[in-house]
Amino acid sequence: MAEQLLSTAVHDTLPGSYVRPESQRPRLAEVVTGARIPVVDLGSPDRAAVVAAIGDACRSHGFFQVLNHGVHADLVAAVMAVGRAFFRLSPEEKAKLYSDDPARKIRLSTSFNVRKETVHNWRDYLRLHCHPLDEFVPDWPSNPPDFKDTMSTYCKEVRELGFRLYAAISESLGLEASYMKETLGEQEQHMAVNFYPPCPEPELTYGLPAHTDPNALTILLMDQDVAGLQVLHGGKWVAVNPQPGALIINIGDQLQALSNGQYRSVWHRAVVNSDRERMSVASFLCPCNHVVLGPAKKLVTEDTPAVYRSYTYDEYYKKFWSRNLDQEHCLELFRT
C-alpha cells in the first residue's frame, strides 16, 4: 500500500480521488494576505504583558506566533533538514513504516484517514508518539542516521515550551499557573512531520481541509520559504506567514473546553502549490486519556454557565477519529 505515498513519484496530473467538489474548493484568490498575526515575545521581562498578550490572542484569534521561545535556531534547521531527508528516502525504505491504521502510534501514511475519507488530501506524513521518549524512540525511523537524536531533542524542548505556555494561558484566565498542566494529567505528545509535494492543480484540492485540533495545544514549525497554512478569522481565510524564527501556537479543542468557550480552537487548513514542496512539523500536547475534562469550575458562574459537559479525552479522541476531518466542530457534540 506504500505506493499510495505522494512522495514516491512526480505527479503531472491530479488524480480524480483528490479533486474536491466545486463548493468545497479552497478559492485561493479570495484568501486574505498580509493580515496581522498576533506575535508574543516570550523573552520580554514584563511577565504581565506576556500573559495579557497571550490571553488576547487566544480570545481573538485562537492562535499566535511566539518569538524568543527557547528552541535554538540550529535545532530548528536540523529538524527541517532531517524531515526533508526522510521523505527523500527510497520507496522501499519508506514502505517499512507505511500504515493506514489510525491506531498505529508510529506510522508513515498519506492524506488524513484513507480508510474512511472519500476525497484524499495532497499530503504525506510521518506520525510519531513522543512521550515517554524511551518507550517510542527505538521504533522511530533509523534512517536518516541522525533522525532519532535530532527529533528527540526537539521533542523535549517543545514539551517544555508547551508547559510554559500552559502556565501563561492559565494565568490569563485568572486560574493558578499550574491549572492546565495539572488538569490535563500526564500528557501524551505526538508529532506529525508533514510533507506536501508540488501539486499539479492546487486550486482543486487541499494539503489538509479546514479542521480544528482535537488536542490541547499545538506547536507548529513552519517552512519559512513556502506558505501554506491558512486560518479562519472574521469569516475569511487568512494566510499565515510567520516571522523569521517564530513558532506558531494553535489553541486546541481541549483548551476551548477548559476555558468554557472563552478561548477558541482555531479552524485552519493547509493549501498546496504547483511549484515547490513544503514541509511542516506539528507537535501536539494531548491530555491523559482517562482524565475528566470540561470547563474549569472557577469559570462557571450563574452568568457564565458551563458550555460543555464533562468527558474523558479517550471519549473525545475516538469521536474525532470516527468522523471526517472537515465535519462540524467535534466540540459541538459535547455541548451541555
Side-chain angles (χ1 to χ4, degrees):
M1 295 296 284
E3 62 271 11
Q4 291 191 49
L5 291 170
L6 296 168
S7 55
T8 58
V10 175
H11 303 271
D12 297 320
T13 58
L14 186 69
S17 59
Y18 290 86
V19 177
R20 292 269 160 184
E22 193 161 345
S23 62
Q24 297 176 14
R25 292 175 187 172
R27 298 179 184 172
L28 299 175
E30 299 176 14
V31 173
V32 177
T33 58
R36 193 191 76 81
I37 307 298
V39 181
V40 179
D41 182 355
L42 296 182
S44 168
D46 188 343
R47 169 77 178 175
V50 170
V51 168
I54 287 175
D56 288 345
C58 292
R59 199 171 282 109
S60 64
H61 285 72
F63 73 102
F64 52 95
Q65 311 176 63
V66 289
L67 298 171
N68 295 311
H69 41 67
V71 183
H72 198 277
D74 289 348
L75 177 58
V76 166
V79 167
M80 294 299 276
V82 80
R84 288 188 195 283
F86 173 82
F87 282 102
R88 289 182 181 133
L89 293 173
S90 68
E92 295 76 19
E93 188 72 21
K94 286 188 284 194
K96 296 175 185 176
L97 287 162
Y98 183 84
S99 173
D100 60 8
D101 179 3
R104 283 279 299 272
K105 294 191 172 182
I106 296 162
R107 69 185 187 278
L108 172 63
S109 198
T110 192
S111 190
F112 175 71
N113 187 353
V114 290
R115 289 186 177 183
K116 183 170 180 57
E117 65 203 13
T118 54
V119 182
H120 298 323
N121 304 295
W122 199 256
R123 172 186 82 137
D124 288 348
Y125 65 97
L126 177 64
R127 185 85 176 192
L128 303 173
H129 275 229
C130 310
H131 184 78
L133 278 169
D134 56 4
E135 180 179 335
F136 294 114
V137 169
D139 295 323
W140 285 8
S142 298
N143 279 318
D146 53 345
F147 185 93
K148 290 181 179 179
D149 282 348
T150 300
M151 289 301 193
S152 58
T153 302
Y154 181 72
C155 285
K156 290 175 196 170
E157 297 204 7
V158 161
R159 189 176 181 85
E160 287 308 309
L161 171 60
F163 290 160
R164 285 166 57 205
L165 291 169
Y166 278 154
I169 291 167
S170 297
E171 290 176 55
S172 72
L173 287 163
L175 305 170
E176 294 293 324
S178 60
Y179 180 83
M180 293 293 176
K181 185 179 177 185
E182 290 179 355
T183 300
L184 296 166
E186 180 59 32
Q187 289 173 73
E188 291 194 7
Q189 183 178 348
H190 310 162
M191 174 189 283
V193 185
N194 301 306
F195 183 79
Y196 306 95
C199 176
E201 297 182 89
E203 67 280 2
L204 301 183
T205 193
Y206 290 101
L208 278 175
H211 64 284
T212 64
D213 288 347
N215 52 297
L217 193 72
T218 302
I219 300 173
L220 181 68
L221 170 56
M222 282 182 61
D223 196 318
Q224 293 281 343
D225 300 320
V226 187
L229 174 67
Q230 298 175 353
V231 296
L232 191 63
H233 182 63
K236 295 181 177 179
W237 286 104
V238 175
V240 178
N241 296 302
Q243 291 194 13
L247 293 171
I248 302 293
I249 310 302
N250 279 10
I251 297 301
D253 294 353
Q254 305 318 314
L255 292 191
Q256 178 169 324
L258 289 173
S259 73
N260 201 28
Q262 288 189 43
Y263 291 174
R264 297 193 298 147
S265 179
V266 63
W267 283 92
H268 54 289
R269 67 187 190 180
V271 297
V272 290
N273 72 85
S274 58
D275 302 319
R276 304 176 68 182
E277 67 183 38
R278 187 174 79 87
M279 207 185 83
S280 68
V281 180
S283 297
F284 307 99
L285 288 179
C286 310
C288 181
N289 273 336
H290 64 265
V291 296
V292 177
L293 301 166
K297 288 186 171 62
K298 189 174 179 180
L299 303 180
V300 177
T301 67
E302 277 190 28
D303 294 330
T304 56
V307 178
Y308 305 105
R309 67 171 175 84
S310 297
Y311 55 87
T312 64
Y313 187 60
D314 185 56
E315 179 187 0
Y316 193 91
Y317 201 64
K318 285 175 179 172
K319 181 70 72 176
F320 180 87
W321 273 96
S322 72
R323 306 155 66 253
N324 286 329
L325 186 62
D326 52 357
Q327 281 180 262
E328 68 169 347
H329 202 310
C330 192
L331 261 182
E332 292 299 310
L333 305 175
F334 293 83
R335 278 189 175 271
T336 50

